PDB file of all heavy atoms in Angstrom:
ATOM      1  N   VAL T 468      15.377  12.111  -1.061  1.00  0.00           N
ATOM      2  CA  VAL T 468      16.470  11.341  -0.314  1.00  0.00           C
ATOM      3  C   VAL T 468      17.301  10.802  -1.453  1.00  0.00           C
ATOM      4  O   VAL T 468      18.608  10.853  -1.359  1.00  0.00           O
ATOM      5  CB  VAL T 468      15.922  10.258   0.505  1.00  0.00           C
ATOM      6  CG1 VAL T 468      17.060   9.338   0.935  1.00  0.00           C
ATOM      7  CG2 VAL T 468      15.158  10.850   1.758  1.00  0.00           C
ATOM      8  N   ALA T 469      16.758  10.163  -2.503  1.00  0.00           N
ATOM      9  CA  ALA T 469      17.512   9.600  -3.544  1.00  0.00           C
ATOM     10  C   ALA T 469      18.383  10.709  -4.295  1.00  0.00           C
ATOM     11  O   ALA T 469      19.602  10.396  -4.503  1.00  0.00           O
ATOM     12  CB  ALA T 469      16.532   8.973  -4.599  1.00  0.00           C
ATOM     13  N   LYS T 470      17.818  11.778  -4.445  1.00  0.00           N
ATOM     14  CA  LYS T 470      18.557  12.819  -5.118  1.00  0.00           C
ATOM     15  C   LYS T 470      19.713  13.422  -4.154  1.00  0.00           C
ATOM     16  O   LYS T 470      20.794  13.619  -4.750  1.00  0.00           O
ATOM     17  CB  LYS T 470      17.563  14.013  -5.399  1.00  0.00           C
ATOM     18  CG  LYS T 470      17.610  14.453  -6.871  1.00  0.00           C
ATOM     19  CD  LYS T 470      16.411  15.153  -7.365  1.00  0.00           C
ATOM     20  CE  LYS T 470      15.645  14.210  -8.193  1.00  0.00           C
ATOM     21  NZ  LYS T 470      14.174  14.617  -8.518  1.00  0.00           N
ATOM     22  N   MET T 471      19.316  13.641  -2.968  1.00  0.00           N
ATOM     23  CA  MET T 471      20.407  14.067  -2.070  1.00  0.00           C
ATOM     24  C   MET T 471      21.512  13.032  -1.970  1.00  0.00           C
ATOM     25  O   MET T 471      22.749  13.316  -1.646  1.00  0.00           O
ATOM     26  CB  MET T 471      19.856  14.404  -0.683  1.00  0.00           C
ATOM     27  CG  MET T 471      18.988  15.607  -0.648  1.00  0.00           C
ATOM     28  SD  MET T 471      18.042  15.822   0.971  1.00  0.00           S
ATOM     29  CE  MET T 471      19.466  16.275   2.101  1.00  0.00           C
ATOM     30  N   ALA T 472      21.106  11.772  -1.994  1.00  0.00           N
ATOM     31  CA  ALA T 472      22.157  10.704  -1.770  1.00  0.00           C
ATOM     32  C   ALA T 472      22.858  10.461  -3.225  1.00  0.00           C
ATOM     33  O   ALA T 472      23.766   9.618  -3.281  1.00  0.00           O
ATOM     34  CB  ALA T 472      21.564   9.587  -1.285  1.00  0.00           C
ATOM     35  N   ASP T 473      22.277  11.113  -4.214  1.00  0.00           N
ATOM     36  CA  ASP T 473      22.893  10.838  -5.540  1.00  0.00           C
ATOM     37  C   ASP T 473      22.748   9.502  -5.921  1.00  0.00           C
ATOM     38  O   ASP T 473      23.731   8.916  -6.575  1.00  0.00           O
ATOM     39  CB  ASP T 473      24.386  11.379  -5.502  1.00  0.00           C
ATOM     40  CG  ASP T 473      24.836  11.679  -7.013  1.00  0.00           C
ATOM     41  OD1 ASP T 473      24.018  12.077  -7.762  1.00  0.00           O
ATOM     42  OD2 ASP T 473      25.919  11.259  -7.255  1.00  0.00           O
ATOM     43  N   VAL T 474      21.561   8.814  -5.832  1.00  0.00           N
ATOM     44  CA  VAL T 474      21.392   7.483  -6.195  1.00  0.00           C
ATOM     45  C   VAL T 474      20.021   7.527  -6.843  1.00  0.00           C
ATOM     46  O   VAL T 474      19.127   8.475  -6.758  1.00  0.00           O
ATOM     47  CB  VAL T 474      21.319   6.509  -5.091  1.00  0.00           C
ATOM     48  CG1 VAL T 474      22.725   6.431  -4.381  1.00  0.00           C
ATOM     49  CG2 VAL T 474      20.188   6.767  -4.053  1.00  0.00           C
ATOM     50  N   GLY T 475      19.643   6.399  -7.598  1.00  0.00           N
ATOM     51  CA  GLY T 475      18.333   6.249  -8.123  1.00  0.00           C
ATOM     52  C   GLY T 475      17.255   6.056  -7.057  1.00  0.00           C
ATOM     53  O   GLY T 475      17.612   5.563  -6.003  1.00  0.00           O
ATOM     54  N   LYS T 476      16.132   6.342  -7.334  1.00  0.00           N
ATOM     55  CA  LYS T 476      15.007   6.183  -6.399  1.00  0.00           C
ATOM     56  C   LYS T 476      14.932   4.656  -5.983  1.00  0.00           C
ATOM     57  O   LYS T 476      14.699   4.412  -4.826  1.00  0.00           O
ATOM     58  CB  LYS T 476      13.701   6.608  -6.987  1.00  0.00           C
ATOM     59  CG  LYS T 476      12.567   6.927  -5.977  1.00  0.00           C
ATOM     60  CD  LYS T 476      11.215   7.304  -6.621  1.00  0.00           C
ATOM     61  CE  LYS T 476      11.153   7.740  -7.931  1.00  0.00           C
ATOM     62  NZ  LYS T 476       9.836   7.938  -8.448  1.00  0.00           N
ATOM     63  N   GLY T 477      14.995   3.834  -6.992  1.00  0.00           N
ATOM     64  CA  GLY T 477      14.910   2.356  -6.701  1.00  0.00           C
ATOM     65  C   GLY T 477      15.930   1.835  -5.807  1.00  0.00           C
ATOM     66  O   GLY T 477      15.736   0.975  -5.043  1.00  0.00           O
ATOM     67  N   THR T 478      17.201   2.525  -5.754  1.00  0.00           N
ATOM     68  CA  THR T 478      18.159   2.097  -4.827  1.00  0.00           C
ATOM     69  C   THR T 478      17.933   2.205  -3.463  1.00  0.00           C
ATOM     70  O   THR T 478      18.305   1.350  -2.609  1.00  0.00           O
ATOM     71  CB  THR T 478      19.514   2.964  -5.222  1.00  0.00           C
ATOM     72  OG1 THR T 478      19.612   2.947  -6.632  1.00  0.00           O
ATOM     73  CG2 THR T 478      20.644   2.359  -4.551  1.00  0.00           C
ATOM     74  N   VAL T 479      17.079   3.152  -3.147  1.00  0.00           N
ATOM     75  CA  VAL T 479      16.682   3.309  -1.708  1.00  0.00           C
ATOM     76  C   VAL T 479      16.031   2.181  -1.188  1.00  0.00           C
ATOM     77  O   VAL T 479      16.022   1.554  -0.162  1.00  0.00           O
ATOM     78  CB  VAL T 479      15.721   4.552  -1.618  1.00  0.00           C
ATOM     79  CG1 VAL T 479      15.251   4.586  -0.262  1.00  0.00           C
ATOM     80  CG2 VAL T 479      16.389   5.811  -1.977  1.00  0.00           C
TER      81      VAL T 479
END
Side-chain angles (χ1 to χ4, degrees):
Chain T
V468 172
K470 230 156 262 166
M471 287 171 75
D473 200 34
V474 298
K476 203 191 329 184
T478 309
V479 176

